Amino acid sequence: MSGPSVRTVPDGDDRERLVCPDCGFIQYDNPRIVVGSVVTFEEQFLLCRREIEPRRGFWTVPAGYLELNETITEGAAREAFEEACARIEIERLLAVYNIPRLSQVQMFFRAHLPAPDFAAGPESQEVALFAWDDIPWDELAFPSVHWVLNHFRESEASGDHTVRTNPPGETGDMRKR
Amino acid sequence: MSGPSVRTVPDGDDRERLVCPDCGFIQYDNPRIVVGSVVTFEEQFLLCRREIEPRRGFWTVPAGYLELNETITEGAAREAFEEACARIEIERLLAVYNIPRLSQVQMFFRAHLPAPDFAAGPESQEVALFAWDDIPWDELAFPSVHWVLNHFRESEASGDHTVRTNPPGETGDMRKR
């Protein structure tokens, strides 16, 4: 199969799109929405060690792609259940980050676990609660995991609940690190 | 051409996807991000009368689909320029709405015009500034245009800058109106 693999500007459009040379289908590719949560239980943070690429073996907050017909809170709750078998209670939107090179918009909520019930889902090697000082900072999977944990902490300390965005100058591009 | 038109669950997946019967391409369809702005100039609101379907002839705030490799503020500024030839200054995120039936996440900013310079772009019949009481409430294009104008007003009046979400019970589904 070919699939949409030829880059061309369709008639009446002003941008290159991927077109299938076999069937002529034009793919209007859209940015992707990642939804996730900083989940706490008694001032500890729920993290998942990834069983899948990219960044297999590294730690992340529960997060993943929003599916069709989902609301963003439904998606964030589903990801926490899939990755950590955790039924979380979502409180509010904490941060919206842009990763323009990957065409991603990442939206993170503040959430908590009503009870310390969790387990590794099929996409996690391990799931655990960490006190702030025990978070494996050098083994976090993505820049935005660093950002959102720090934004959570800063938002708690200041009482300023304004939705956070990318730290100044940061684009989330891991190739530049 | 067929394009991805047959609904089936691909091997190893757990959801129905659209597959092209000609070339076998699997379309992983993603929710779409709409970015827009409530744009003011001296307490008047910038609205565009749509030249395109859906809801041609009705009024909207400048908004449209986020493109690949754009940040959400870049997308909102581009839409204001395309639809209203306006160079806006974006201040902060005002609201995030879900329209799950359409698989849309809509993100609206508070923005202002530094000068009253605007004109109808190719997708607008007309662009104008309206005082609050002169807004054509019965001719607004979409439920979320109502929501965001009211949320803007409520946020100004209360000083509460928490990001707003859908009004209670509202899904943005125009078929139900």
Side-chain angles (χ1 to χ4, degrees), chain A residues 64-173:
Chain A
Y65 290 116
L66 187 66
E67 288 277 1
L68 291 179
N69 302 120
E70 262 184 343
T71 67
I72 53 177
T73 50
E74 287 168 355
R78 175 183 52 72
E79 289 291 342
F81 189 72
E82 287 179 2
E83 297 183 356
C85 306
R87 297 198 183 274
I88 63 173
E89 294 184 0
I90 291 177
E91 297 161 28
R92 61 182 170 78
L93 187 62
L94 193 59
V96 179
Y97 302 127
N98 292 283
I99 320 287
R101 188 181 69 86
L102 303 179
S103 293
Q104 283 186 5
V105 176
Q106 303 189 346
M107 311 183 69
F108 289 97
F109 294 92
R110 187 193 200 288
H112 67 272
L113 275 177
D117 297 331
F118 55 83
E123 296 180 3
S124 303
Q125 293 175 354
E126 184 181 355
V127 176
L129 287 170
F130 291 91
W132 180 261
D133 290 335
D134 298 331
I135 289 173
W137 294 104
D138 294 338
E139 295 169 50
L140 296 182
F142 307 108
S144 58
V145 180
H146 283 266
W147 302 347
V148 80
L149 288 168
N150 281 299
H151 279 159
F152 175 97
R153 178 96 157 171
E154 179 194 301
S155 170
E156 293 303 291
S158 67
D160 172 6
H161 293 176
T162 311
V163 169
R164 303 305 199 270
T165 57
N166 293 37
E170 298 274 344
T171 61
D173 191 342

Side-chain angles (χ1 to χ4, degrees), chain B residues 112-176:
Chain B
H112 68 272
L113 275 176
D117 297 330
F118 55 83
E123 297 180 2
S124 303
Q125 292 174 355
E126 183 181 355
V127 176
L129 286 169
F130 291 92
W132 179 262
D133 290 335
D134 298 330
I135 289 174
W137 295 104
D138 294 337
E139 296 169 50
L140 296 183
F142 307 109
S144 59
V145 181
H146 283 265
W147 302 346
V148 80
L149 289 168
N150 281 297
H151 280 159
F152 175 97
R153 178 96 156 171
E154 180 193 299
S155 169
E156 293 303 290
S158 67
D160 171 7
H161 292 175
T162 311
V163 168
R164 302 307 200 267
T165 57
N166 293 36
E170 297 274 346
T171 62
D173 191 343
M174 294 180 70
R175 298 180 312 179
K176 292 186 187 155

Side-chain angles (χ1 to χ4, degrees), chain A residues 31 33, chain B residues 31-37 60-67 72 75-76 79 83 93 95-97 99 102-109 142 144:
Chain A
I33 303 172
Chain B
R32 287 188 171 194
I33 303 172
V34 169
V35 284
S37 310
T60 180
V61 299
Y65 290 115
L66 186 68
E67 289 277 1
I72 53 177
E79 289 291 343
E83 296 183 357
L93 187 62
V96 179
Y97 302 128
I99 319 288
L102 302 178
S103 294
Q104 281 186 6
V105 175
Q106 302 188 348
M107 311 183 70
F108 289 97
F109 294 91
F142 307 109
S144 59

Side-chain angles (χ1 to χ4, degrees), chain A residues 25-79:
Chain A
F25 174 72
I26 302 165
Q27 181 169 26
Y28 288 94
D29 228 350
N30 297 307
R32 288 187 170 194
I33 303 172
V34 170
V35 285
S37 310
V38 175
V39 182
T40 55
F41 176 76
E42 292 179 354
E43 302 192 27
Q44 293 190 299
F45 295 83
L46 187 75
L47 298 180
C48 309
R49 198 207 283 261
R50 292 170 63 82
E51 172 62 13
I52 54 174
E53 294 295 348
R55 302 289 279 167
R56 182 166 181 272
F58 288 80
W59 293 88
T60 180
V61 299
Y65 290 116
L66 187 66
E67 288 277 1
L68 291 179
N69 302 120
E70 262 184 343
T71 67
I72 53 177
T73 50
E74 287 168 355
R78 175 183 52 72
E79 289 291 342

Side-chain angles (χ1 to χ4, degrees), chain B residues 9 13 27 32 44 49 58 60 63 70 79 83 116 136 140 169 176:
Chain B
V9 179
D13 201 341
Q27 181 168 27
R32 287 188 171 194
Q44 294 190 299
R49 197 207 283 260
F58 288 80
T60 180
E70 263 184 342
E79 289 291 343
E83 296 183 357
L140 296 183
K176 292 186 187 155

